[in-house]
Amino acid sequence: MSASETIPADSGTPEAGAIETMHAESFEDFELHSLLERGVREAGFTRPWPIQALTIPAALEGADVLGLAQTGTGKTAAFALPLLDQLLDEDAPGPRALVLAPTRELATQIDAEIRVLAKFTKLKTTLVFGGSSMHAQKAALRRRPEVIVACPGRLLDLMGQGAVRLDSVETLVLDEADHMFDMGFLPDIRRILAALPRDRQNLLFSATMPKEIRRLADEILSEPHVVELAKSAPAETIAHVLHPVPEARKKDLLRHLLDADDCTTAIVFTRTKVRAKRLALQLARTGRSAVALQGDMSQNARDRAMNDFRKNRVEILVATDIAARGIDVAGVSHVIN
């Protein structure tokens, strides 16, 4: 098994050796299709991030890839650019690439970034997830898009209704595989894998490698190019603080933290949907600008909540950890668990 970096023996990843690593100084070093290079410039990308520099060359060569990296490391472009580059090599009906993500929010972000990168091409992408019109998704799939970005549950529903076939898929991407396992999607993923051609490229990204994901990686990846950027240590740009507090004083402490001068926007995590809704209402009643994000909300309500938070119309987002997975919002000053 090849690797860009030697993976420590106790890291929980498949065995890996080391090969010479390409240190790309710019996206031009990848020699992408000219239409993709225009998309890269449109996206404002300049110098590749480490996950991109270490995975894109191998993926462009058609190798399977195992990337251990957290959200916010640039991994969407790491799999999207080689995927799109290969699609431009040949004109064939889709779907030719399938990207699976655990949450609607992450799928939406992946789809949006792929559309920016593919802006100057004729490649079509379709977004598939629950909570939105199945009729519209079926209509989009009838146009045979080259790329499908999907959550597993809705994709299986559409497959069961004969609305989509996956026998022409050339590249499979599993993003945040560990979160998909946490959310109980592993059986769904195995059903989807059974509908795919055996001869395909596989790109698997995960922040951690629980034994179930390691087993899945061993099953689907063939001599993968392995890159590990996931670290257990906090990011250097984040200050972590632990406040021991009795249960009865948690709300008082929360109010104190939110009142601080340096708290401009905050995400507050709760364990349950009920707590998220209740806490958002309680904060709103005290005059704070707060909104809840939890799994029982309709897609329109989720989109509205996220848009309001991103555009600073709402200062506090109260969310369950499952509902918030994959969310990438710049400029949040505080995250409170």
Side-chain angles (χ1 to χ4, degrees):
M1 184 177 295
S2 299
S4 290
E5 298 181 355
T6 302
I7 308 299
D10 61 352
S11 66
T13 62
E15 180 182 356
I19 65 172
E20 184 178 351
T21 297
M22 172 184 176
H23 294 284
E25 295 296 325
S26 74
F27 282 91
E28 293 178 356
D29 292 339
F30 298 132
E31 298 182 352
L32 298 166
H33 193 286
S34 60
L35 296 177
L36 281 184
E37 289 187 344
R38 289 181 65 188
V40 167
R41 290 192 292 271
E42 178 80 6
F45 294 170
T46 53
R47 185 171 180 174
W49 288 31
I51 190 67
Q52 297 160 358
L54 294 168
T55 59
I56 288 177
L60 284 171
E61 293 176 2
D64 283 3
V65 170
L66 173 60
L68 298 173
Q70 298 173 351
T71 298
T73 55
K75 56 187 169 65
T76 299
F79 61 73
L81 285 172
L83 179 157
L84 293 170
D85 189 82
Q86 291 167 9
L87 292 178
L88 288 169
D89 281 345
E90 180 183 355
D91 186 13
R96 296 173 56 198
L98 173 64
V99 182
L100 294 178
T103 66
R104 292 173 274 187
E105 284 73 26
L106 180 58
T108 300
Q109 289 176 190
I110 292 171
D111 178 75
E113 187 160 336
I114 291 176
R115 287 175 185 270
V116 170
L117 295 172
K119 178 178 179 178
F120 300 101
T121 76
K122 295 182 179 180
L123 298 174
K124 301 183 295 294
T125 72
T126 292
L127 185 57
V128 169
F129 55 72
S132 60
S133 169
M134 186 176 288
H135 176 75
Q137 291 173 6
K138 288 180 178 179
L141 290 169
R142 284 195 292 269
R143 293 192 286 271
R144 301 296 296 271
E146 286 82 5
V147 182
I148 296 176
V149 181
C151 294
R154 173 55 66 87
L155 180 62
L156 280 174
D157 290 342
L158 291 166
M159 290 167 59
Q161 296 179 30
V164 60
R165 292 177 59 90
L166 302 178
D167 50 5
S168 60
V169 168
E170 303 163 14
T171 303
L172 169 70
V173 179
L174 296 179
D175 196 16
E176 300 206 359
D178 51 347
H179 287 167
M180 285 198 270
F181 167 69
D182 290 343
M183 297 171 69
F185 283 136
L186 205 52
D188 289 348
I189 291 171
R190 292 191 180 281
R191 290 172 60 193
I192 292 168
L193 291 173
L196 296 171
R198 296 189 65 179
D199 184 17
R200 65 177 189 270
Q201 183 182 27
N202 301 285
L203 311 175
L204 189 153
F205 291 83
S206 187
T208 61
M209 284 291 286
K211 62 181 180 181
E212 292 82 3
I213 298 303
R214 175 172 180 163
R215 189 178 303 120
L216 180 66
D218 288 340
E219 290 174 8
I220 69 172
L221 300 178
S222 175
E223 299 185 355
H225 179 81
V226 182
V227 173
E228 181 181 25
L229 296 180
K231 302 293 183 183
S232 58
E236 293 180 0
T237 55
I238 300 175
H240 285 240
V241 179
L242 174 64
H243 291 289
V245 61
E247 178 74 25
R249 300 298 307 278
K250 285 171 67 175
K251 289 179 184 175
D252 293 335
L253 177 58
L254 176 61
R255 285 193 290 267
H256 175 74
L257 294 172
L258 295 176
D259 282 339
D261 290 338
D262 61 347
C263 184
T264 56
T265 57
I267 300 177
V268 181
F269 287 110
T270 65
R271 186 173 58 84
T272 67
K273 303 171 190 176
V274 172
R275 285 187 180 183
K277 289 190 286 188
R278 187 169 59 221
L279 181 56
L281 285 172
Q282 290 170 342
L283 291 171
R285 286 170 184 157
T286 63
R288 301 177 189 275
S289 177
V291 66
L293 182 72
Q294 42 81 24
D296 287 342
M297 297 168 66
S298 69
Q299 188 59 40
N300 286 339
R302 291 163 72 105
D303 290 343
R304 187 163 55 251
M306 283 306 307
N307 287 335
D308 285 348
F309 186 62
R310 282 197 174 97
K311 294 177 180 179
N312 293 321
R313 290 195 289 260
V314 170
E315 298 172 357
I316 304 167
L317 181 71
V318 185
T320 58
D321 59 348
I322 294 295
R325 277 179 179 157
I327 286 177
D328 184 11
V329 180
V332 175
S333 68
H334 285 64
V335 176
I336 302 170
N337 290 299

